[in-house]
Amino acid sequence: MPIVALPEIQEAASRIAGNVRRTPVELSHSLSDRAGVPVYLKLEHRQITGAFKLRGATNAVLSLSAADRARGVACASTGNHGRALAHAASNLGIRCIVCMSKLVPENKRDAIAALGAEARIVGKSQDEAQREVDRLVAEEGFTDIPPFDHRAIVAGQGTIGLEMLDDVPEAETILVPLSGGGLIAGIAAAVKGRKPDARVIGISMERGAAMQASLSAGRPVEVEELPTLADSLGGGIGLANSWTFEAVRDLVDEVVLLSEAEIAAGIRHAYFEEREIVEGGAAVGIAALLAGKVRPQGPVVTLLSGRNIAMDLHRSVVNGADSLEAPR
Ligand SMILES: *Cc1c(COP(=O)(O)O)cnc(C)c1O
């Protein structure tokens, strides 16, 4: 039984319309030529805040009761989820505290503050930052909005699947970056709810693919987190995972893993052939096609999920670097 089904995703779509961008889909001529089938790109990296996470965050915040909204929201992410929650909350006039450790660079703190959230600096690790979130929840009535393992987050991300099929109704293969699985759980529920025979394929990096390791083990497991070009796909799925593990196990047809060099090639292809700047985690669909690790059946839609890559890293990859360790 899918955790989130089509009606909940359709409700999310009407709830968040007007607060998020409806992003375009475009045909990629170069990828279509190589694959021998039409390949479309869902240009979600052009979403406000530079990544799709604004959809889930906006849906989660709008789903709170008036009383909960009045007390505020919190999270410990300084990545794309933190940016999204900060923007969604400030857009809706809700107090938001993003907790982070002293080790988080000042430009990241400033970026969160610029989005209208309070950047609270606590301790020396992500765990200590999360403890401050837990304290805000227990003592001050804040609501913790997590990055993926949450119904409203899954439903919000699923709105991407509705738009993909609205724009490419003939799509048969959907390629989605995979980390904690909120994104692919929502998209797969939306796509299969409308088109049960369409295939949904998740793509992660070889270096620290927590969902794939958990699927093989048959339960959520931890993996060592390693530096990767696809930094937004890093991190675990949570040993106490409630929603996304089962959804991915039940709905996703296949998971593909990529090397750093393959991800780098995806970033370069996006730049030189599609003229798009994307982060490593967003280039994996393109990369899997280029590497021949996905055999597309019928028209393909591949999701470009974000563009928040450090521009000096982007420059070095575009100049030929194949990993984080090999700047050019
Ligand atoms: C978070 C993120 C993902 C993965 O989403 P999950 O819901 O964790 O699977 C993919 N791409 C980008 C750019 C992200 O920020």
Side-chain angles (χ1 to χ4, degrees), residues 6 28-29 33 61 64 86 93 143 146 170 264 308-309:
L6 191 54
S28 163
H29 293 285
D33 285 348
V61 166
L64 294 175
T143 302
E170 69 278 19
N308 295 323
I309 184 171

mmCIF file of all heavy atoms in Angstrom, residues 6 28-29 33 61 64 86 93 143 146 170 264 308-309:
data_model
loop_
_atom_site.group_PDB
_atom_site.id
_atom_site.type_symbol
_atom_site.label_atom_id
_atom_site.label_comp_id
_atom_site.label_asym_id
_atom_site.label_seq_id
_atom_site.Cartn_x
_atom_site.Cartn_y
_atom_site.Cartn_z
ATOM 1 N N LEU A 6 -2.474 9.219 -4.947
ATOM 2 C CA LEU A 6 -2.758 10.308 -5.874
ATOM 3 C C LEU A 6 -3.627 11.436 -5.296
ATOM 4 O O LEU A 6 -3.275 12.608 -5.458
ATOM 5 C CB LEU A 6 -3.385 9.690 -7.134
ATOM 6 C CG LEU A 6 -3.550 10.574 -8.347
ATOM 7 C CD1 LEU A 6 -2.242 11.237 -8.747
ATOM 8 C CD2 LEU A 6 -4.086 9.735 -9.518
ATOM 9 N N SER A 28 15.247 17.121 -24.874
ATOM 10 C CA SER A 28 16.693 17.181 -25.099
ATOM 11 C C SER A 28 17.007 16.487 -26.411
ATOM 12 O O SER A 28 16.840 15.270 -26.527
ATOM 13 C CB SER A 28 17.449 16.481 -23.967
ATOM 14 O OG SER A 28 18.781 16.200 -24.394
ATOM 15 N N HIS A 29 17.465 17.276 -27.393
ATOM 16 C CA HIS A 29 17.769 16.669 -28.694
ATOM 17 C C HIS A 29 18.967 15.739 -28.598
ATOM 18 O O HIS A 29 18.963 14.638 -29.142
ATOM 19 C CB HIS A 29 17.982 17.757 -29.749
ATOM 20 C CG HIS A 29 16.717 18.507 -30.033
ATOM 21 N ND1 HIS A 29 15.698 17.971 -30.772
ATOM 22 C CD2 HIS A 29 16.288 19.718 -29.615
ATOM 23 C CE1 HIS A 29 14.689 18.831 -30.827
ATOM 24 N NE2 HIS A 29 15.026 19.908 -30.132
ATOM 25 N N ASP A 33 18.800 11.707 -29.287
ATOM 26 C CA ASP A 33 19.595 11.083 -30.349
ATOM 27 C C ASP A 33 20.373 9.889 -29.819
ATOM 28 O O ASP A 33 20.422 8.833 -30.448
ATOM 29 C CB ASP A 33 20.581 12.100 -30.948
ATOM 30 C CG ASP A 33 19.865 13.085 -31.862
ATOM 31 O OD1 ASP A 33 18.682 12.821 -32.191
ATOM 32 O OD2 ASP A 33 20.474 14.116 -32.215
ATOM 33 N N VAL A 61 4.211 23.220 5.604
ATOM 34 C CA VAL A 61 3.910 24.404 6.411
ATOM 35 C C VAL A 61 2.427 24.791 6.265
ATOM 36 O O VAL A 61 1.755 25.109 7.236
ATOM 37 C CB VAL A 61 4.870 25.553 6.009
ATOM 38 C CG1 VAL A 61 4.393 26.867 6.559
ATOM 39 C CG2 VAL A 61 6.282 25.255 6.496
ATOM 40 N N LEU A 64 -0.078 22.779 8.393
ATOM 41 C CA LEU A 64 -0.111 22.927 9.858
ATOM 42 C C LEU A 64 -1.370 23.671 10.288
ATOM 43 O O LEU A 64 -1.902 24.497 9.548
ATOM 44 C CB LEU A 64 1.115 23.724 10.329
ATOM 45 C CG LEU A 64 2.488 23.062 10.146
ATOM 46 C CD1 LEU A 64 3.585 24.047 10.546
ATOM 47 C CD2 LEU A 64 2.582 21.783 10.957
ATOM 48 N N ALA A 86 13.138 27.799 5.103
ATOM 49 C CA ALA A 86 13.298 29.214 5.445
ATOM 50 C C ALA A 86 12.461 30.082 4.514
ATOM 51 O O ALA A 86 11.744 30.993 4.957
ATOM 52 C CB ALA A 86 14.776 29.602 5.356
ATOM 53 N N GLY A 93 4.790 34.111 6.424
ATOM 54 C CA GLY A 93 4.760 34.874 7.669
ATOM 55 C C GLY A 93 4.872 34.014 8.914
ATOM 56 O O GLY A 93 4.317 34.338 9.969
ATOM 57 N N THR A 143 7.376 23.179 15.473
ATOM 58 C CA THR A 143 7.200 21.928 14.739
ATOM 59 C C THR A 143 8.464 21.661 13.927
ATOM 60 O O THR A 143 8.905 22.544 13.181
ATOM 61 C CB THR A 143 5.981 22.011 13.800
ATOM 62 O OG1 THR A 143 4.824 22.318 14.572
ATOM 63 C CG2 THR A 143 5.758 20.696 13.068
ATOM 64 N N PRO A 146 10.976 17.719 8.855
ATOM 65 C CA PRO A 146 12.138 16.975 8.372
ATOM 66 C C PRO A 146 12.226 17.010 6.844
ATOM 67 O O PRO A 146 11.237 17.318 6.173
ATOM 68 C CB PRO A 146 11.863 15.553 8.878
ATOM 69 C CG PRO A 146 10.383 15.456 8.898
ATOM 70 C CD PRO A 146 9.858 16.836 9.216
ATOM 71 N N GLU A 170 2.767 10.656 -22.696
ATOM 72 C CA GLU A 170 3.245 9.388 -23.277
ATOM 73 C C GLU A 170 4.469 8.834 -22.549
ATOM 74 O O GLU A 170 4.993 7.777 -22.922
ATOM 75 C CB GLU A 170 3.520 9.583 -24.773
ATOM 76 C CG GLU A 170 4.698 10.474 -25.134
ATOM 77 C CD GLU A 170 4.402 11.991 -25.109
ATOM 78 O OE1 GLU A 170 3.410 12.421 -24.483
ATOM 79 O OE2 GLU A 170 5.200 12.741 -25.708
ATOM 80 N N ALA A 264 30.138 13.493 -12.818
ATOM 81 C CA ALA A 264 30.826 14.651 -13.410
ATOM 82 C C ALA A 264 30.449 14.791 -14.888
ATOM 83 O O ALA A 264 30.191 15.898 -15.379
ATOM 84 C CB ALA A 264 32.341 14.500 -13.253
ATOM 85 N N ASN A 308 22.074 24.131 -6.833
ATOM 86 C CA ASN A 308 22.856 24.812 -5.809
ATOM 87 C C ASN A 308 24.239 24.173 -5.639
ATOM 88 O O ASN A 308 24.557 23.593 -4.620
ATOM 89 C CB ASN A 308 22.071 24.838 -4.495
ATOM 90 C CG ASN A 308 20.808 25.674 -4.645
ATOM 91 O OD1 ASN A 308 20.815 26.694 -5.342
ATOM 92 N ND2 ASN A 308 19.723 25.243 -4.027
ATOM 93 N N ILE A 309 25.047 24.312 -6.654
ATOM 94 C CA ILE A 309 26.430 23.833 -6.622
ATOM 95 C C ILE A 309 27.332 25.047 -6.432
ATOM 96 O O ILE A 309 27.036 26.127 -6.962
ATOM 97 C CB ILE A 309 26.772 23.078 -7.943
ATOM 98 C CG1 ILE A 309 28.186 22.481 -7.893
ATOM 99 C CG2 ILE A 309 26.585 23.968 -9.169
ATOM 100 C CD1 ILE A 309 28.505 21.541 -9.065
#
